[in-house]
Amino acid sequence: MTKQLIVANWKNHPDSLAEAVEILDSADKYLGSLSEAERFGLIFCPPFVFTEEVGKILKTSHLEHQAELGAQDISIDDKTALTGEVSGSMLCKLGVGYVIVGHSERRWKLNESNETVNKKLKAVLRNEMVPIVCIGERERDFSAEGEPASGWKDFIKKQVEATFAGLSADEVTRCIIAYEPVWAISTTPGARSDTPESAAESIFIIKEVLSKTYNLKPKTYLYGGSITSANAREFLQNNQFDGVLVGGASVNKEEFVKILATVSKIL
Ligand code: PGA
C-alpha cells in the first residue's frame, strides 16, 4: 500500500493559539510512538492567523519530517491590492506547501464560482505549492425507487472541467484531488458520510473527465466529509483513496489522534 495522506482542515477553529498548540502536542506525542513503517503523510491547514506559529511548531520534535504546513485559501492575484486577501508569495514565505482550493464552504456559502476557484488553483501552482482541489456535488437526488438520479454525475463532470480549465497536463498531475460531497460535510444540516463504494464512483467520474482532457492524471485522491475515527478505516482501506481530508474531527485532539491511530494500524 502506498503512503496514506491525512489532511487536517481546521477551518475557522480552534478559537485560540493555545488550543491549536494542544492539538499539535497530542499529534506530536502520538507520532513519536510510531515506527518508521507506521508513518504516513500529514498536512495541517490552520486558519491564516495561526499559520506562522503552526509552521514553527511543525519544525520541532516528532512533527518535523512527519507533518507539513497547508493553507485553506489563497488570493487569486499575487500583486494587485486586494483588501483582506493573503497572497501566494506570503504563504510560500511562511513555509506553506499545500493550499486547499474549491472547498464547498467557499463555493456555496461564500459564492466562490468555478472561475474564481480556477484562478486560485492557478495562483497555487504559480507559487509552486501543491493544490488540494475539492470537488463535490451539493445534493444527490434520489428516484422514487431510492436510486440516485444521474444529475449529480453531470454536475461533477462540469465542475471538474471548469475547475481545471486551461491547466497543462503537468499542472494537473501536481494536484491532489479531494472528493467532498457537500451533503456529507459535517456542517451541512442532516449531513451523513458517503460510503466508500459510492465515493469511489465519484472518483471514477473525476478520473474519467481528467483523462479525457489530459494524458497525465493526478496521483492522489482523498475523501472528505464527516470523517471520524469510526469510519476512517473503511475509506483508507478502499484502494480508490490515498487518504482522507478531515474537518471537524481534526480540531478535537482526542478524536484526531484516534484517526491517526487508525491510519498507522492499516499501514
Ligand atoms: P468535516 O469537514 O470532516 O467536518 O465533514 C470536511 C471538510 O469540510 O473539509
Side-chain angles (χ1 to χ4, degrees):
M1 188 182 280
T2 52
K3 214 173 161 194
Q4 295 274 4
L5 177 63
I6 308 297
V7 178
N9 174 17
W10 284 1
K11 308 191 183 187
N12 48 337
H13 303 292
D15 264 357
S16 67
L17 181 60
E19 290 167 86
V21 173
E22 282 179 25
I23 297 167
L24 295 173
D25 274 352
S26 348
D28 182 29
K29 282 197 191 82
Y30 182 72
L31 295 175
S33 71
L34 299 181
S35 67
E36 185 68 41
E38 289 170 323
R39 290 185 183 174
F40 45 85
L42 180 57
I43 301 169
F44 286 98
C45 301
F48 284 141
V49 283
F50 301 147
T51 307
E52 188 162 7
E53 280 307 315
V54 169
K56 283 182 196 157
I57 296 168
L58 295 188
K59 291 205 181 91
T60 62
S61 193
H62 305 294
L63 292 166
E64 194 177 13
H65 310 303
Q66 287 198 67
E68 295 178 88
L69 185 61
Q72 299 171 23
D73 195 17
I74 187 170
S75 173
I76 53 167
D77 200 299
D78 306 333
K79 300 217 166 65
T80 311
L82 289 168
T83 301
E85 292 295 283
V86 175
S87 73
S89 61
M90 287 172 166
L91 295 175
C92 283
K93 285 184 192 117
L94 292 177
V96 170
Y98 302 82
V99 183
I100 298 174
V101 293
H103 191 279
S104 61
E105 283 155 0
R106 300 203 64 86
R107 288 184 189 267
W108 300 111
K109 296 184 180 168
L110 299 171
N111 294 324
E112 222 167 70
S113 65
N114 282 330
E115 195 189 353
T116 302
V117 174
N118 178 263
K119 284 185 184 160
K120 290 189 173 185
L121 174 47
K122 288 174 180 162
V124 179
L125 290 164
R126 192 165 58 237
N127 285 284
E128 297 187 355
M129 296 177 285
V130 176
I132 302 173
V133 187
C134 299
I135 296 289
E137 76 282 5
R138 190 169 187 174
E139 281 159 6
R140 227 181 251 197
D141 299 327
F142 290 87
S143 69
E145 293 77 41
E147 290 297 313
S150 61
W152 63 277
K153 295 185 183 176
D154 293 332
F155 181 90
I156 290 181
K157 282 182 195 162
K158 288 201 182 98
Q159 194 182 58
V160 173
E161 281 162 3
T163 298
F164 290 92
L167 262 67
S168 69
D170 174 55
E171 288 172 325
V172 174
T173 314
R174 283 161 55 196
C175 298
I176 293 173
I177 312 266
Y179 171 61
E180 293 212 315
V182 184
W183 49 267
I185 304 281
S186 66
T187 49
T188 304
R192 61 196 187 284
S193 167
D194 202 353
T195 62
E197 296 71 30
S198 141
E201 199 183 343
S202 306
I203 294 284
F204 180 78
I205 297 166
I206 298 169
K207 284 184 178 169
E208 204 177 39
V209 177
L210 291 176
S211 63
K212 252 189 219 154
T213 323
Y214 307 97
N215 289 327
L216 300 166
K217 298 165 212 159
K219 294 183 194 74
T220 309
Y221 287 87
L222 311 177
Y223 168 77
S226 295
I227 285 289
T228 64
S229 58
N231 63 5
R233 176 180 297 273
E234 42 182 323
F235 284 95
L236 294 167
Q237 281 179 328
N238 185 305
N239 61 14
Q240 290 301 315
F241 303 101
D242 306 292
V244 287
L245 200 163
V246 189
S250 70
V251 282
N252 174 330
K253 57 184 198 277
E254 289 85 14
E255 180 63 8
F256 190 56
V257 166
K258 280 192 203 163
I259 293 174
L260 300 185
T262 306
V263 194
S264 60
K265 280 179 196 131
I266 288 173
L267 298 175

